[in-house]
Amino acid sequence: MAFDLIDLTGHEQVAFCSDRETGLRAVIALHDTSLGPGLGGTRFHPYPTMDAALTDVLRLSRAMSYKNAVAGLDHGGGKAVIIGDPGRDKTPELLRAYGRFVQSLAGRYVTACDVGTYVTDMDVVGEETRWATGRSPERGGAGDSSVLTAHGVFQGMRAAAQHVWGEPTLAGRRVGIAGVGKVGARLAEHLVEDGAEVTVTDVDRQAVERLRERLPGVTAVEDTVELVRRDLDVYSPNALGGALDEDTVAVLRARVVCGGANNQLADPGTADELARRGITYAPDFLVNAGGVIQVSDELHGFDMERARARTSTIFDHTLEVLRAADEAGTTPAAAADRLAEQRMAAGGRTPWLPEHPRRA
């Protein structure tokens, strides 16, 4: 039924994984590996149906192709989903079984953390495969990828500020952050250090209070509905996807949107509406690529300074995309897609194989 209803066109490989002993049910999707092995996290989620899981992993793996390409990484797009409740179904035995399936792909898929999986989980998966990243520093890994995700978002925001106001700084600017989990909280620290006026909100009140204890100058509002109506210079979505829907864009007063959340545009037409209202959108998969840059560095023997330096190039990539959008009379989202597609096309159309790595 899933193959009848869901379009697999454009994906190189989809692997369905099942282990009777541990109860593992997983799907690994490789979208495009013309630039190198597919890289993307493993999501552990209680999908109601296999169709829902398949739809999600196809969408996510395609997004990773674009993210890795626009970040300048020699990686294609891959993603995996494990079907189940991570609080109830996750066991070391299940994670090891999953690791064996990752290993069976012989390096075509490199995994990492995502929703429902953590550094400690990647340590367990890594016991069965060499292709697990996002592991703990004690295991030779990069640790918490939110460190460079936040750094990259900040660099993208600096580039947007340069494009809109002529200076690569948020000093004196009013920035509203929706979601102060790991990425949002670290981003707030960067912004306060840069001299910005920061206002935050989060459904987790304790997360807000913890942040304000560390950064007393940060103000908080009740919810996102109130935040987007504030007199902001920059709006930064750092929680769930779909943050930029029709209702939000209609009331948004900020000149710039730049945040770490994935899939911020509720539908393709949202990018056009942002442009029509004169709001500069820094594409999410461009500015939040610091995390994938961080974990990809593990494959070369992790070096934080090397990974940080590469993440800092998000400033240049964002500025390039914003300028290209203006020159072409298109949206930044379309310009970022075009940049990624050009890089994928330059890599050729041959899937990456471990026996025949892509020629330099």
Side-chain angles (χ1 to χ4, degrees):
M1 181 65 72
F3 286 97
D4 291 336
L5 297 175
I6 297 172
D7 185 7
L8 300 176
T9 304
H11 280 75
E12 292 178 2
Q13 183 177 5
V14 180
F16 292 83
C17 312
S18 175
D19 181 73
R20 184 177 300 174
E21 184 175 338
T22 64
L24 171 72
R25 291 189 302 152
V27 187
I28 301 172
L30 292 166
H31 175 255
D32 183 297
T33 63
S34 56
L35 290 173
L39 172 63
T42 296
R43 180 166 294 190
F44 204 132
H45 184 74
Y47 294 98
T49 64
M50 177 60 76
D51 285 0
L54 181 57
T55 298
D56 202 29
V57 78
L58 294 176
R59 176 181 60 84
L60 292 167
S61 58
R62 182 182 184 278
M64 289 305 303
S65 289
Y66 281 74
K67 177 180 289 192
N68 292 336
V70 81
L73 296 175
D74 293 328
H75 282 284
K79 205 78 175 185
V81 296
I82 297 175
I83 303 169
D85 182 344
R88 182 191 66 213
D89 301 323
K90 188 193 300 179
T91 65
E93 293 76 19
L94 182 145
L95 292 172
R96 291 190 189 98
Y98 170 67
R100 291 191 289 273
F101 280 108
V102 173
Q103 183 65 21
S104 74
L105 294 174
R108 273 182 50 76
Y109 172 58
V110 181
T111 193
C113 302
D114 197 77
V115 175
T117 59
Y118 305 91
V119 170
T120 52
D121 298 326
M122 289 303 109
D123 282 346
V124 177
V125 173
E127 293 174 7
E128 299 291 341
T129 179
R130 60 173 293 196
W131 307 111
T133 61
R135 297 165 299 149
S136 66
E138 294 76 16
R139 300 287 185 96
D144 183 1
S145 63
S146 68
V147 175
L148 292 191
T149 302
H151 178 64
V153 174
F154 178 59
Q155 296 307 316
M157 200 178 290
R158 290 180 61 244
Q162 170 71 54
H163 186 74
V164 173
W165 296 297
E167 292 185 302
T169 178
L170 283 304
R173 299 293 173 189
R174 295 156 296 187
V175 181
I177 299 178
V180 287
K182 290 181 179 180
V183 173
R186 292 183 186 276
L187 176 61
E189 293 173 357
H190 287 300
L191 288 165
V192 168
E193 184 177 356
D194 196 38
E197 300 175 19
V198 178
T199 303
V200 304
T201 191
D202 197 299
V203 294
D204 183 348
R205 301 300 180 199
Q206 292 183 340
V208 172
E209 292 309 312
R210 286 194 298 269
L211 179 65
R212 295 188 68 197
E213 286 175 5
R214 297 201 315 274
L215 304 172
V218 168
T219 58
V221 295
E222 185 67 22
D223 53 28
T224 303
V225 173
E226 181 180 352
L227 182 66
V228 297
R229 288 169 169 77
R230 303 273 292 200
D231 191 15
L232 302 173
D233 295 303
V234 182
Y235 173 53
S236 184
N238 290 277
L240 299 176
L244 299 172
D245 56 20
E246 182 179 351
D247 292 340
T248 298
V249 174
V251 299
L252 193 60
R253 301 171 69 180
R255 289 282 309 281
V256 170
V257 174
C258 179
N262 287 310
N263 303 312
Q264 292 172 24
L265 301 176
D267 62 69
T270 307
D272 295 320
E273 182 60 18
L274 286 167
R276 190 191 68 78
R277 294 203 57 227
I279 299 171
T280 296
Y281 170 61
D284 50 46
F285 69 86
L286 169 59
V287 303
N288 69 12
V292 74
I293 292 172
Q294 181 170 333
V295 297
S296 71
D297 197 79
E298 279 189 45
L299 299 174
H300 311 286
F302 183 63
D303 182 298
M304 176 57 92
E305 291 312 307
R306 178 176 62 202
R308 186 182 298 276
R310 188 158 200 175
T311 302
S312 294
T313 65
I314 288 175
F315 176 92
D316 300 309
H317 294 155
T318 305
L319 204 54
E320 176 186 359
V321 163
L322 296 179
R323 289 171 175 169
D326 281 357
E327 291 170 3
T330 188
T331 67
D337 283 351
R338 186 174 303 165
L339 178 64
E341 289 161 0
Q342 288 172 345
R343 187 157 194 268
M344 284 188 276
R349 289 300 177 187
T350 303
W352 186 91
L353 298 174
E355 299 86 358
H356 305 287
R358 183 179 66 84
R359 292 185 179 88

